[in-house]
Amino acid sequence: MTLPPDKEVSFKDSVNLSFDLARATLEIPDGMAQYIRNVNNVYQVRFPVKINGEVETFIGWRAVHSDHKLPAKGGIRFAPHVDQNEVEALAALMSYKCALVDVPFGGSKGGLLIDPNKYDREHMEKITRRFAFELIQKGYIGSGTNVPAPDMGTGQREMAWIASTYNSYRPGDINHLACVTGKPVSMGGIQGRVEATGRGVVFGLREFFRSPDDVKRAGLEGSLEGKKIIVQGLGNVGYYTAKILQEEDGAKIVGVLEYNGALLDPNGLDVEDVYRYKVAQKGLKGYPDATYVEDSTPLLEEACDVLIPAAMEGVINRENAGRIQAKIIAEAANGPVTFAAEAILQEKGVTSIPDVYLNAGGVTVSYFEWIKNLSHIRFGRIQKRYEEGKNLQIIKAIEGSGHKVPKALAEKICAGSEEIDLVRSGLDDTMRTAWQAIRERFWSHDSIHSYRIAAMSIAVEKIHNSYATMGVYP
Ligand code: GLU
């Protein structure tokens, strides 16, 4: 079923309509397609917490979209607008994301209706622990069943509280640390998880720019160097994406858009400096080295090579899609382009690199963290010195044949792998492999008109194959 672009639909419908287009490219029986499309189960909870002597009631959800592989995986969002439909849409995206990048998990997502800015640290801890307790009681948290992670409004701090709460209710579970990912490194987390989604976005963009046919189709040429980029949302994902693109790829971050103001500089902003200013001043207003604009939303429509929405769903919609001037929309957030907007963008020749692929770096490194927790050993611990010894022998052999290896190069070659090196290597490989699969499907199927549907087609096919192999059919 395709929808005419004169009608806007909800986030959940956007995901489901993309599913329908993807499914039409595959041979999947109707009943099975309906089963995959819909959320398997969703738990809604209301619980009381005493805040300053008064009882406040909170409402939250945890949805499991698919359990063809366990545990089911996905973040927990703390936001003042979250609802069950949003959580279900996000859970579905997690299923497709994990399948696409070969992370062997089902898809899940949680949400708590709360404005985290309204509560101090002590109250946030109380609320988070109580929410975690409710989820643990109903089997919605556990290393083999359902593993939460950070999302909008949550981070390492909340994950540490969830892990600690789980441990106190399941004493003796030797794998308790694997019940949640995105923890601080001091509590079983993994190096590189905080930057993972942003770094994954960059790895994905690099791989895109390595494929001349894709770059040409987007109306661009060359690499990321010097490309004009606008980033919407300077939270965790937007910050790392912008910083790495600027510092490692030589891209020009010509605009940074926050909900309460934006900065523009055609020569490129210093992302680290802007970020520090934003954190210190709680906003971008007054930043001395760029043009400040109060109303940031229209700036999504500024001309640039790559627009990176890294905040909310639905920011590019039927209303503004026709005015987007970017050549590429790189979807770092979940669901930033609505289904109706996508049709308009396609008509205009704007390329979307879809969320289901591009922001999969977070869950990929969560997978590495989960493995680390289950294996009870840091990556690199066993092999680092062994590798160093071998590499040193190679340097000695080269020098023994009369060729001097410069000291700095020798040190680089000799170094054994640290956890961060292995995490980044695994993430890079994941993003490269997945992009090659997407572009292969896109270019080889006449009925597939976007990278999103190519990506979804691969994901839905894999999920279907899992259920089929499991013996769901009579
Ligand atoms: N919340 C992130 C996402 O939407 C990460 C999920 C995870 O690590 O499980 O992909």
Side-chain angles (χ1 to χ4, degrees), residues 62 72-77 90 93-94 97-98 105 108-109 147-152 154 181-182 193 197 237 332-334 355 359-367:
R62 184 85 181 157
K73 190 81 187 77
I76 292 190
R77 172 169 291 198
L90 290 162
L93 270 181
M94 286 309 304
K97 205 185 293 191
C98 290
F105 294 145
S108 183
K109 202 79 170 199
V147 179
D151 199 82
M152 193 185 288
T154 57
T181 59
R193 176 61 186 85
T197 310
V237 179
N334 285 312
D355 49 2
N359 72 31
V363 76
T364 300
V365 176
S366 276
Y367 169 43

Side-chain angles (χ1 to χ4, degrees), residues 281-354:
Q281 304 299 322
K282 298 197 170 24
L284 301 173
K285 197 173 185 168
Y287 182 74
D289 301 324
T291 307
Y292 175 76
V293 180
E294 189 91 36
D295 186 8
S296 62
T297 313
L299 300 179
L300 288 167
E301 300 155 22
E302 285 286 295
C304 63
D305 297 315
V306 185
L307 170 64
I308 308 184
M312 287 284 303
E313 54 262 19
V315 291
I316 298 159
N317 45 50
R318 211 187 129 248
E319 200 278 310
N320 62 2
R323 297 190 299 272
I324 296 290
Q325 295 185 66
K327 298 266 194 298
I328 294 175
I329 298 180
E331 299 182 11
N334 285 312
V337 175
T338 67
F339 188 79
E342 173 99 334
I344 298 169
L345 294 171
Q346 264 178 42
E347 191 73 24
K348 277 171 61 87
V350 178
T351 297
S352 284
I353 306 182

Side-chain angles (χ1 to χ4, degrees), residues 395-409:
I395 298 286
K396 278 187 178 154
I398 295 170
E399 297 203 324
S401 69
H403 298 276
K404 179 85 192 116
V405 181
K407 195 164 174 277
L409 181 61

Side-chain angles (χ1 to χ4, degrees), residues 112-123:
L112 182 68
L113 187 62
I114 187 172
D115 181 354
N117 297 318
K118 283 191 6 209
Y119 301 90
D120 63 16
R121 185 191 162 89
E122 206 178 306
H123 288 132

Side-chain angles (χ1 to χ4, degrees), residues 270-291:
D270 177 340
V271 175
E272 187 58 37
D273 199 49
V274 169
Y275 184 72
R276 280 170 200 259
Y277 184 89
K278 179 204 117 151
V279 172
Q281 304 299 322
K282 298 197 170 24
L284 301 173
K285 197 173 185 168
Y287 182 74
D289 301 324
T291 307

